Amino acid sequence: MVAALTKERGCTMGHALAHDICWKTELLPLAQRHATEPAVYDLAGKVTFAELFAKAAGIARAVLATGAPPCSAVATLLPNGRDAVAASYGVTLAGAAETRLNPTLAEADLAHCVATARIPAVVTDASRLAMVERLGVRGIDVATVAPGDLASLELPSVPAGGFGRIGFSSGTTGKPKGIVHAQAGRWTANVLLRATLPRAPGPGDNVLLMTPFSHGAALLTYAFLDGGAAVTLLPGVDPAEALSLIAAGKVNHVFAPPTVLAKLLSGVRDQRYPGLAAIFTGTAPLSAELYRRARHVFGPVVRVTYGKSEIWNPITVLGPGEAEAWYGDEGEPRTTCVGWPASGVEIAIDRAAAGSAGEHEGGEDRVGEVCLRTRHMSIGLLVEGEFRPDAPGSYHRTGDLGFIDDRGRLHLCGRLADVMKSGGYRILPEEVEADLREAAAPAEIAVLGLPSSYWGEVVTLVVAGGDAAVMARLEAAMQSLTQYKRPRLVAHLDEIPRNSIGKVVRRLARTQILERYAFEDGRYPKLSARP
C-alpha cells in the first residue's frame, strides 16, 4: 500500500523507502495548503505559493532533462528574487545536490566552484548564461523555463546519505572550500532551524531579506515558507526602501547582520519603528553600541545567533530578552556572547589549540578552539573535485576561539588564524577592537598584524571614516591599553574590506595597506603614504 501511494504521488522510491527521501512528499503539501497565499515579494511584485512551486516544478523538469545523476551538484546562480527561490526548490525536487552560488562571483571564482564540485549544469539568468557556458557547463535560462504541475510530475527519490547540498565557505582565508551536506542532514537542519525561531512563522508574517540568497537568507526563506509565511527579497541593502516596508507594516521580521543593521540605522533620524517582532543577526560580532542604537529605534527585538557553513541551523541562540540583558547596559562587553547551544548541538572547547591566546588579563583561562558536533552537520569537503569525508562521529574544528561561561553560554573571542604574534605575545585582534570600538564610533575599525622581522607582527589599527575627533578619541583609548596590545601603527582605508556576509577580510585589508603605504620595519616601525 505504501509503495502504491508513493507511486501515485510521482516518487519512484523503490525498495529503500525507509532510507530514501523524495522532496516532493515534503513540498507538495506546502504548495497545496497555502496555494493562494503570497510566498515571495520582490521588485517585480509578488508570487503565490502555487505560482512559486509551479515554476519550481518546471525547473526540476529542466534539471532532470540535463541527465545530471541524482545527488550530483547542480548550481543556481541568481540574484535575490522569486527566481532564486524557485530555482532552489526546483533543483532540490530534482534530487540534485543544490549548490547555491553568489551571483556576484567573478568568472575565475565561478570556474573554481565549478571545478571543485564538478558541476554539470547551472540554473541562471540571461545576463550570466554566456559566462556559464564559457566554462563548458550547461546553462538553464530560468526565464525560458515553463511552469509545471508539481502534483503530476514524476520525480526521483534520493538516498538519505547522498549529497544534498554543496555550499562554499566565505573565502576569508583563501579559496572557498566545497562543504557537503547529506540529503537527510539538510532536512533535519531545516526542522531544527524552525525550532529555534522566537515564534513559529505563519500566514501574515513576512521576513525582509537583503543579503545574498546564496548564503543565510536562503535558510530563513525555507523556515518562513514552511509555515505559510512570506519572504521579501531585495537585491541589496536599501535603507530607505527597507524602512519604508517596516513603517508600513509590510514586513515584521528582518535578517540584518551587523553591517546591514548599521546601514539600516544610517537611514534613521529621530523616527521609531516599533512594528518588528524580531531582527535576526549573526555572521559577525555585534557591538554593544550598535545593539543599543537598534534597540532605541526598533525596540528590544534583536536575536543573536552563531552559525557556520558546516552547521546549518543556529549553533547557539541568544534570544531578544537575553540579548537585552547582555548588551543593554552601558559599556562594551569584552567578549561576544552568542548564547546557548541549539537543539542537537554539542560544543567542546580545545584549550590546547589556543596556546597563550587563551590567557586573558581578567583571569579568563578557558579560551580554546570551538569544536562542534551535530547529527546534521556537513559530511565532508570537496577539494579539487575529490570528496574528503569527515570521520564518523568527529567534531568540526571551527577555527573560532571561545569559551563556555558558568551559565552554559558560548562566548566568541576571535579567529585562531587571526591571532597576532607580536614581541613574544599572542594577541586577539577582536579583543583590541572591543576596547577601541566605542571611541571609534561612528567610524569603522579593524585590527591586524603586519609581518615584521623585528616584532613578528606589528599590531596595526585600520580606520575607515574617522575624522580628527575620532582619531583623538582613539589615541586616548589606545593609551589605556596594555602596552603589548597597543597598536603601533594606524592605517586609513576608504572602507574595511568585508566578504558578502559582512566578515572582515583581514588578509585583503593587509594587502590594501601595503599597497597604500610604504612599511618601514624595525624597533620603531613606520607607515608612509605612497605617492
Side-chain angles (χ1 to χ4, degrees), residues 286 291 301-304 318-329 337:
L286 175 69
Y291 172 83
V301 295
V302 176
R303 169 183 177 265
V304 178
L318 195 69
E322 296 155 351
E324 170 65 15
W326 178 257
Y327 289 102
D329 294 335
C337 180

Side-chain angles (χ1 to χ4, degrees), residues 459-530:
V459 181
T460 303
L461 173 66
V462 188
V463 183
D467 57 17
V470 166
M471 297 312 300
R473 292 198 302 271
L474 280 171
E475 183 61 36
M478 285 191 287
Q479 293 306 310
S480 67
L481 296 178
T482 301
Q483 187 171 6
Y484 68 82
K485 295 182 181 180
R486 192 178 303 158
R488 295 177 180 274
L489 298 173
V490 177
H492 294 268
L493 295 178
D494 296 332
E495 60 182 15
I496 305 294
R498 299 178 184 273
N499 64 16
S500 59
I501 55 175
K503 293 182 180 178
V504 174
V505 186
R506 295 181 204 276
R507 61 180 174 83
L508 183 55
R510 190 177 295 110
T511 299
Q512 292 180 2
I513 290 169
L514 296 177
E515 288 174 349
R516 177 171 289 197
Y517 295 90
F519 173 56
E520 183 179 331
D521 198 4
R523 183 175 182 181
Y524 302 104
K526 296 180 181 178
L527 286 176
S528 303
R530 296 184 186 276

Side-chain angles (χ1 to χ4, degrees), residues 209-221:
L209 305 169
M210 297 169 283
T211 58
F213 182 81
S214 53
H215 291 291
L219 306 184
L220 279 172
T221 295

